[in-house]
Amino acid sequence: MKVVFPITRMRRLRQPNLLPLFQEHALRKEQIIAPIFIDETIDEPKPVSSMPGVYRYTVDGAATYAAELHKKGIRGVLLFGIPYQKSDTADAAFASEGVVQRSISAIRDMVPNIVICTDVCACEYTTHGHCGIVGDRRKRRDVINDPSLDLMEAIAVSHARAGADIVAPSCMLDGVVAHVRLSLDEAGFEDTLIMSYSTKFASALYGPFREAADSGYIFGDRTTYQLNPANGREAFRESVLDAEEGADILMVKPAGMYLDVLTSLTQLGLPLAAYQVSGEYAMIKAAAERGWIKEREVVLESLLCLKRAGADLIITYFANEVAGWLDEK
Ligand code: PBG
Ligand code: ZN
């Protein structure tokens, strides 16, 4: 007997009025976090040349900008500070009157309900631009791990004390999540969350950020603490460790080129954040400015695909624009 199979009509699902019924993932404004750069040395907003549309703000400017974002439905901000004074020991990073600490209060006063996340790292505050204390490691100048942990604890506690909801260690030091967790608890901040930059690659896509945050390094590179982009299993292990150390949220950074890693982390059961970094932003902006791609479509696609791959939270410099676009749809 000859069996004839009917053609499987996948296109039945794609008729215009039926298409939305089968959409598996969607972007939600409430899950988008906007990075904000706050510069203590300026009196008015200063554009970041390699990131058109992104500015460094004053403390007051940051509060106004956060209020604007919140009004548009963006519920979370991630703060980065540029201090007056850099030093080898990054003292300005944990000062109670430091730029991020003052910004937290200013934002909290203006928008009580906004979710304030803070980057916990030293690179904007050190003279050499590395993410911790630099010393001699087997005859090479490098970030030394354990002495830098005290610094991260001090920074995280100072942010929590100023009123941060979520602290986000981005230094890629071993043991930082456990240390920060214990210090927060000891200081009475057991309800402050830790969003660990748990799987952060040594990426060439951070270039524009280093202009934005004035955090470029003057010797070496970050490959002795950030991950090798070639390594998927090691990337997974980094996040497993941070989960064990008590992280509340794990993160993959950069986002778009590391979707396999993001998907692999979904099995850990923790909320996941994906950080669409400065270079990803700059590439889209540059092509769009030339008219080679449609900005809105590419941005929404790039973010939606992060959801499909497993992200809950999305950190993106397009936050403000996306909030507007999602309203129009
Ligand atoms: C600081 C930090 C960096 C980014 C976020 N936190 C830069 C770096 O590690 O060199 C990059 C963000 C971006 O490129 O948008 N450790
Ligand atoms: Zn850093």
Side-chain angles (χ1 to χ4, degrees):
M1 189 177 101
K2 191 177 160 209
V3 180
V4 180
F5 288 99
I7 293 174
T8 302
R9 301 280 174 194
M10 293 302 288
R11 294 184 57 202
R12 257 200 307 263
L13 303 171
R14 297 176 198 148
Q15 302 174 76
N17 61 332
L18 297 174
L19 198 55
L21 269 61
F22 306 114
Q23 173 151 338
E24 298 174 32
H25 298 277
L27 286 171
R28 284 173 43 203
K29 279 199 279 190
E30 311 85 72
Q31 294 185 311
I32 294 177
I33 296 174
I36 304 183
F37 299 104
I38 308 125
D39 185 344
E40 250 182 335
T41 71
I42 58 174
D43 298 320
E44 52 183 78
K46 185 178 169 190
V48 177
S49 64
S50 51
M51 301 175 74
V54 174
Y55 296 82
R56 292 188 190 180
Y57 293 95
T58 62
V59 170
D60 292 341
T64 312
Y65 181 49
E68 179 192 330
L69 287 164
H70 195 254
K71 210 167 149 201
K72 287 174 126 177
I74 300 292
R75 312 215 34 231
V77 290
L78 172 60
L79 310 186
F80 295 92
I82 298 116
Y84 280 121
Q85 188 76 48
K86 295 178 191 265
S87 70
D88 282 350
T89 43
D91 306 299
F94 55 87
S96 57
E97 287 297 302
V99 56
V100 167
Q101 292 78 0
R102 286 192 292 126
S103 301
I104 295 168
S105 323
I107 293 171
R108 183 65 74 212
D109 283 349
M110 198 174 278
V111 209
N113 283 329
I114 201 162
V115 177
I116 302 178
C117 314
T118 59
D119 190 78
V120 174
C121 201
C123 51
E124 295 97 350
Y125 301 88
T126 51
T127 31
H128 44 69
H130 278 290
C131 300
I133 306 291
V134 164
D136 198 42
R137 181 183 176 209
R138 306 191 70 203
K139 300 207 165 63
R140 252 199 201 103
R141 274 178 93 195
D142 197 355
V143 170
I144 41 176
N145 200 84
D146 298 6
S148 303
L149 294 177
D150 296 338
L151 174 59
M152 298 309 150
E153 292 176 35
I155 299 173
V157 169
S158 75
H159 290 174
R161 187 162 285 132
D165 298 288
I166 302 178
V167 294
S170 69
C171 52
M172 286 294 283
L173 294 170
D174 290 324
V176 68
V177 172
H179 274 252
V180 165
R181 183 70 272 158
L182 286 170
S183 297
L184 288 173
D185 290 354
E186 214 166 277
F189 299 110
E190 56 282 316
D191 283 329
T192 305
L193 284 76
I194 297 178
M195 172 164 69
S196 178
Y197 286 67
S198 54
T199 289
K200 177 176 176 184
F201 291 90
S203 173
L205 292 166
Y206 306 150
F209 175 92
R210 290 173 190 160
E211 182 208 330
D214 192 25
S215 67
Y217 39 79
I218 58 172
F219 68 89
D221 56 33
R222 302 216 204 282
T223 56
T224 65
Y225 42 103
Q226 297 179 351
L227 275 158
N228 182 343
N231 295 357
R233 278 178 287 137
E234 189 184 338
F236 183 73
R237 189 166 168 227
E238 276 283 4
S239 276
V240 169
L241 284 170
D242 285 11
E244 288 169 355
E245 288 180 28
D248 298 287
I249 305 163
L250 300 174
M251 190 199 298
V252 176
K253 174 179 174 215
M257 294 185 189
Y258 297 88
L259 297 184
D260 56 329
V261 176
L262 187 58
T263 302
S264 77
L265 297 183
T266 56
Q267 59 183 288
L268 296 179
L270 269 72
L272 294 179
Y275 194 145
Q276 183 180 59
V277 302
S278 58
E280 298 179 273
Y281 177 88
M283 290 192 294
I284 294 176
K285 276 284 178 193
E289 273 181 8
R290 282 163 180 73
W292 294 345
I293 59 172
K294 290 188 180 146
E295 178 170 354
R296 174 182 159 147
E297 264 105 290
V298 173
V299 170
L300 292 175
E301 182 177 331
S302 71
L303 301 180
L304 181 58
C305 290
L306 301 179
K307 294 280 313 171
R308 192 202 61 239
D312 301 295
L313 303 174
I314 292 175
I315 303 164
T316 175
Y317 301 97
F318 288 111
N320 196 9
E321 283 146 298
V322 170
W325 293 334
L326 290 178
D327 284 337
E328 289 166 31
K329 286 223 294 197

